[in-house]
Amino acid sequence: MRQDTDEALEILEKLVAFDTTSTRSNLDLIAFIETCLSQRGIRSHRVGNADQTKANLWARIGPDTSGGLLLSGHTDVVPAPRETWRQDPWTLKEADGKVFGRGTCDMKGFIACCLHFARHVDPATLAEPIYLALSYDEEIGCLGVPSLIQAMKTAGAKPRVVIVGEPTEMAVVNAHKATFGVRTVVHGKAAHSAHPGLGVSATVAAAEIAMFLAGKAAEMQQSSSQSPRFDPPFATLNVGILSGGEARNIVAPRAEVQWDCRLLPGQDPEEPLARLQDFVDHDLTTRPGPVQALRVETERLNFMPALGPEPDGQAEFHALAASRTSASRAESYGTEAGFFQQAGWSTVVCGPGSIRQAHTANEYIEIDQIDRCLTFLDRLVATFGARSLTVSGAGQ
């Protein structure tokens, strides 16, 4: 197994060297992966963004039939300010059974394991296809994955199992919350603070909106709609940014509230926005006086659908068997898994590394997690007809 792990770490070293922070292009990394796949005779397909500065990538290994396994990962990473790191974040460093570098855990470690798999699998042994699906801009709202899924569906892909390799320490996750971010902008009217009655304060109104949202958060915490599988077991709402105004002696003409909401599977994602709009329309802007001149605009910035448990789900069944575990768990963070499930494909989350390392300075993944992921993939793809993918066959 160590030879396989060393190969995967060599691939990971190359992946980490590409700075694919979401504010930058990922095309150099995509080109590298295309080359890796083409060297094994595997054709890949790009799905670019509107200005072609970023791309998703997908590939099919094996027969052009329905069914099969899809392995999904995102290529972008969060920023890595050099002053917060003890080392160059774009250079892989091994120490104490770990490898350090931006993206090692979230989630280039999983992608490296998938590329190792692609290097060793014999497509002729596959009874069903194995797909690789790599997206852009997951970290800033899952912007790439919808077009990736659409392109694959248009091409006829119908996988019966999807594994999203976010870091779960190789535990199987069959449920997570929906998450979305919202920006509410308040437009008031500027005036000199000596005559505040001539203006309408956007900051005061924004503060009232923030307090209304805080009340909504408390209501969610007390709601009977809870699930002990999640931590916390209720839906959450957080006001993350409250900003506005131009100077202390000017009635603020503009203010902004940015907030985040995380809902349990099955809860209505429109309800929090509708409640806020009702407060704006029937309370905040209907009071006598100049406050009626306020204008409030609310925009949902992103949406990641929930992942829900699937009765008799194929993905959960196969992932549990491959991981040699008996039970799945739920998580409160969001992933791209909900998009795949909404497409009608059975989906779970299972990947190497700990979510506690994701987005941190000096991010790392334990080498043992790479070992476990390789073994997991070896067992998993055997279900679809492939012989052992590891050099030693140790995964059997």
Side-chain angles (χ1 to χ4, degrees), residues 11-18 29 32-33 108 111-112 115:
I11 297 170
L12 180 56
E13 181 177 26
K14 294 174 182 176
L15 295 176
V16 168
F18 293 101
L29 174 65
F32 168 76
I33 295 174
K108 291 179 178 179
I111 296 174
L115 292 177

Side-chain angles (χ1 to χ4, degrees), residues 317-334:
F317 173 80
H318 287 293
L320 287 173
S323 64
R324 305 284 171 89
T325 54
S326 59
S328 301
R329 73 187 193 200
E331 293 288 357
S332 293
Y333 57 79

Side-chain angles (χ1 to χ4, degrees), residues 25-27 46-56 136-137 143-144 147:
S25 173
N26 72 336
L27 294 183
R46 288 193 188 196
V47 183
N49 64 351
D51 59 8
Q52 300 301 309
T53 57
K54 299 182 181 182
N56 303 305
Y136 66 85
D137 283 358
L143 304 185
S147 62

